[in-house]
Amino acid sequence: MNQTAHFHLYIIGITWPPETFIERKIDGLVAQGVEVTVCASGIKSSRKTAHSNLSLINLNPVSLQQKVNRLLLLLYKIPRFPVRAIRMWRIVSLHRQALWEKLRVFLQILPLVSHKPDIIHFEWNSAAITYHFLTDILNCPMVVSCRGAQIQIAPLNPLRKDIDDGLPITFEKASAAHCVSHAISETAQGYGLDPNKAWIITPAVDPYLFCPIAAKEYKGILTVLTTGSVIWRKGYEYAVYAIRQLVDKGVQVRYEIIGGHQKDEYNRLLYTINDLDLENHVCYLGKLNPSEVLERLQAADVFLLSSLSEGISNAVLEAMACGIPVVTTDVGGMREAVTDGVEGFVVPPRDPHAIADALSKLVESPSLRKVMGKAGRERILQEFTLHQQTEAYLEMYKSVLSEQSS
Amino acid sequence: MRITLIVPTFPKTSETFIVNKFLGLVTLGHEVNVVCSSSPDWHHFPHLLEQKKTIQKQIRLSPRTSILHVLIWLPILLIEAILSRPIYTWRYFKQGWRRFGWAILRQFYVDAPILQTQPDLIHFEFGALAVNRTYLGDLLNAKIVVSFRGYDINYVGLDQPNYYAEIWGKAHGIHCLGNDIWQRVQQRGCPSHKLHTLIAPAIDTTIFSPKHTEAPANSPILRVLSVGRLEWKKGYEYALKAIQLLQAQGHKVEYRIIGDGQYLEAIAFCRHELGLDDCVTLLGKLPQHEILEHLEWADVFLHAAVSEGFCNAVLEAQAMQVPVVTSDADGLRENVEDGVTGFVVPRRNPEAIAEKLITLQDADLRLRMGQAGRARVVSQFTLTEQIQSFNHFYSEVLSQ
């Protein structure tokens, strides 16, 4: 094990249990001997976890019992660490206006008063904007992740001034910024990110879990699959419209969508399918458990990503690892994972005709599907493995630490 | 007759038609009550504010359903009902007990505001509101009328085949905004012999009346306007894409969007991605007098919806002599006369929108279509006629 991997990392402002890609990251770091503390909301009990060097702190007391416990913490922590507690209060006061807000935030972060992290990492820009002053309180460097929508979409929302104003502040304070793709890094530079601070670390997949199945039988119907929540930025309306065009051309096709949904967008999907008369061709399967998702993915002929915005889609990487050719829109960092004509096709966003054309090419040629699928898996093995991701994170953290000590 | 209208909110800017209908029915001498769950937008209706005190007596709010509210309000509502309408309430509980058992107490809590109005006729103004409520016809000895206005028939409950079955059986009358919606209602299981009426929305053509009626000069910039809530079903992304196509072909265009809603982020993102930040303005929600000013400003009204009941905003634009480019979603084909008062194009088709916008760069054509639009609205979509139609339909339902 690497000697220098002994440092204490605090991951702040996620939900627990975390999204798969954050979970994979934590697992990788913990396995390398990094001490990780996660401050998240949704934690039921703050005891030690399965890993001895992973611990949890609840950031948002929800139940009455948790709230009472948090108040009792006042009586216990403040007398033990009076100087630090006062300092914490003063810094919180600087960053919150209303007294109630000051008290609320102070109580939220009070458990951290006695902690000494080496690095704090905000996995979301919004978390960094809310809690960036922790870096002053805890006297340690901070790292912020730029993953997608919070850089590409939220700052453009007239109602999200907090993000637009907050991004430059957090980029100024951060010692390093983790960007999931070059494209995200470039967009972030528009909000004040110093390119020297940017570290491109792409998401990764476990190529042994996500692997092709040996015998795949083509039954004369092209199975197109998308995994991803039914939310507007996934652009499903364009995908479904593209399927209509394929059906009009006489192509035998079945389009499956797997993922949770937001109510209004679910209505939109159902309506679009009904309005375009595609009940027999498009199938929304809802949220499935991981093993079922994997099974469907391995059985699919083509993976389709119709997104309007992406950092780099984990779902696409998983499909590539399974040896499935990909049709993806040219958004965010998707071009960094898929080369047009090699592992699949890259088409302009909001263009159902282009999606339909790309899918037609894949319908016509089983050999093309096979070649592209194979190229996809090779690309994953070369560039997007969990091992490489963990190494890259460690390198980033070490660089931040050495900068700090010098 | 005593009519009770069931709506989500009253008065509400985006549902002005309910306000107009309410006032119209009152003028005809009916006792009209409204039951809703909130009453927010009074300041947008100056003519209502003048008589707010009298009107407020005709509005009843549904009680909130948190446990604390129920504990406090249930006994109060019970005592009020028993004291003010003892026999009527007795009847409600007698019938209700057979159907619901103890659960009638829970139903009563929700029904109390309607029961208090002792209606001859209950009109659910949106289909979704009437689901699981048609028993009220038996319990209150009233007739039930249900309106279908667009979203309720297009996608609410689409994943449950029998979602509206009970309404097809139990409602005494069905109101649809137009023939297109009536077709969809039948597709979802309503028998074709069901007593129904097609009454299109109507607008006040004295308020929506253009100040300038002469031909506008041929300006180098085409001024395009949309009014409508920011929601996916309004198809703003297709409208924006069409504007981009126009620009790419070297046409100058300015596009304003009035309205707010949860799809704002998606629209703002789309505007940015398509490089339209300079020529597209998102104005948010505006009061009627400001909307009128923007309608005076506009050369063309654009409505790219993918799902739409009938769309009052499109009627208002035509009344203001603005030619319309609209998609063919549902009732819009009945709303705009294609080639006469504007153009109807296939939905989800930005290329077709752009083509028609380019055609409408011709100021003379705009004037002709604008005038035809106003003439059509004045002759076919006036409030008095609409209220008369409802009056007639209600009498028909009651005499059934």
Side-chain angles (χ1 to χ4, degrees), chain A residues 293-308:
Chain A
V293 176
L294 179 59
E295 225 169 87
R296 295 264 178 186
L297 189 56
Q298 287 168 329
D301 297 309
V302 184
F303 189 91
L304 171 59
L305 187 87
S306 54
S307 289
L308 311 176

Side-chain angles (χ1 to χ4, degrees), chain A residues 152-154 156-159 232 237-238 241 264-268 270-271 274-276 308-309 350, chain B residues 154-155 158-159 184 232 237-238 262-266 268-270 272-274 306-307 330 347-348 351:
Chain A
Q152 289 174 325
I153 300 172
L156 301 172
N157 186 340
L159 300 179
W232 70 262
E237 194 170 314
Y238 300 99
Y241 196 76
D264 202 34
E265 287 292 315
Y266 171 65
N267 282 334
R268 178 186 192 175
L270 285 187
Y271 171 72
N274 179 267
D275 190 38
L276 297 176
L308 311 176
S309 159
R350 301 176 197 280
Chain B
N154 279 354
Y155 50 82
L158 206 55
D159 47 356
R184 285 193 189 244
W232 64 262
E237 281 147 315
Y238 300 104
Q262 55 178 345
Y263 210 58
L264 170 67
E265 185 169 79
F269 173 72
C270 178
H272 181 79
E273 288 291 295
L274 298 180
V306 292
S307 159
D330 311 326
R347 52 193 179 278
R348 305 190 183 91
E351 291 83 10

Side-chain angles (χ1 to χ4, degrees), chain A residues 19-242:
Chain A
E19 288 83 353
T20 330
F21 48 90
I22 293 179
E23 194 181 351
R24 287 178 195 155
K25 167 190 168 177
I26 294 171
D27 288 349
L29 290 173
V30 166
Q32 289 294 315
V34 179
E35 193 87 21
V36 177
T37 300
V38 175
C39 306
S41 51
I43 293 173
K44 298 270 161 23
S45 75
S46 301
R47 287 187 212 100
K48 283 272 178 182
T49 53
H51 286 288
S52 60
N53 48 352
L54 170 64
S55 43
L56 304 176
I57 293 176
N58 189 2
L59 203 54
N60 273 328
V62 182
S63 69
L64 190 65
Q65 194 198 347
Q66 284 174 336
K67 282 181 179 164
V68 171
N69 281 350
R70 191 54 60 94
L71 279 170
L72 290 176
L73 208 62
L74 273 177
L75 304 174
Y76 170 72
K77 287 272 184 185
I78 295 181
R80 272 191 75 193
F81 308 97
V83 181
R84 287 197 209 168
I86 290 168
R87 206 176 102 84
M88 181 181 258
W89 172 256
R90 282 169 64 184
I91 294 179
V92 168
S93 294
L94 288 176
H95 290 90
R96 289 294 184 275
Q97 299 295 323
L99 181 64
W100 173 246
E101 270 294 293
K102 290 178 189 181
L103 271 170
R104 194 181 63 82
V105 174
F106 180 71
L107 275 177
Q108 254 187 352
I109 61 174
L110 186 62
L112 292 170
V113 73
S114 51
H115 288 242
K116 289 179 176 165
D118 294 312
I119 298 179
I120 53 184
H121 189 137
F122 299 102
E123 297 286 348
W124 302 102
N125 297 102
S126 56
I129 289 165
T130 314
Y131 298 112
H132 63 81
F133 49 83
L134 277 175
T135 179
D136 304 329
I137 292 172
L138 302 173
N139 264 327
C140 66
M142 73 177 234
V143 178
V144 54
S145 282
C146 306
R147 296 189 176 274
Q150 293 193 344
I151 287 289
Q152 289 174 325
I153 300 172
L156 301 172
N157 186 340
L159 300 179
R160 296 295 300 275
K161 271 307 209 194
D162 57 322
I163 298 275
D164 196 18
D165 297 341
L167 286 177
I169 299 169
T170 54
F171 287 144
E172 176 65 34
K173 279 194 137 173
S175 304
H178 154 228
C179 300
V180 293
S181 65
H182 290 277
I184 287 284
S185 160
E186 270 164 39
T187 315
Q189 285 169 33
Y191 298 101
L193 173 64
D194 174 358
N196 295 320
K197 287 183 185 175
W199 288 72
I200 314 293
I201 305 173
T202 61
V205 287
D206 179 352
Y208 304 106
L209 178 63
F210 291 92
C211 58
I213 44 173
K216 200 152 114 184
E217 210 182 320
Y218 185 65
K219 295 189 190 78
I221 300 179
L222 188 82
T223 307
V224 180
L225 177 76
T226 299
T227 58
S229 316
V230 179
I231 48 177
W232 70 262
R233 61 170 191 269
K234 299 291 177 185
Y236 284 114
E237 194 170 314
Y238 300 99
V240 174
Y241 196 76

Side-chain angles (χ1 to χ4, degrees), chain B residues 168-232:
Chain B
W168 311 145
K170 283 272 181 180
H172 301 92
I174 304 282
H175 159 235
C176 302
L177 291 185
N179 190 42
D180 192 280
I181 292 184
W182 172 236
Q183 296 304 326
R184 285 193 189 244
V185 165
Q186 290 177 78
Q187 271 168 31
R188 289 189 67 174
C190 182
S192 56
H193 57 77
K194 187 94 200 164
L195 180 61
H196 70 280
T197 185
L198 310 182
I199 303 176
I203 55 162
D204 188 336
T205 46
T206 54
I207 295 174
F208 289 92
S209 167
K211 284 194 206 120
H212 312 286
T213 49
E214 72 277 17
N218 256 325
S219 98
I221 300 179
L222 189 70
R223 294 174 290 200
V224 183
L225 178 72
S226 286
V227 181
R229 274 165 300 153
L230 307 184
E231 293 178 356
W232 64 262

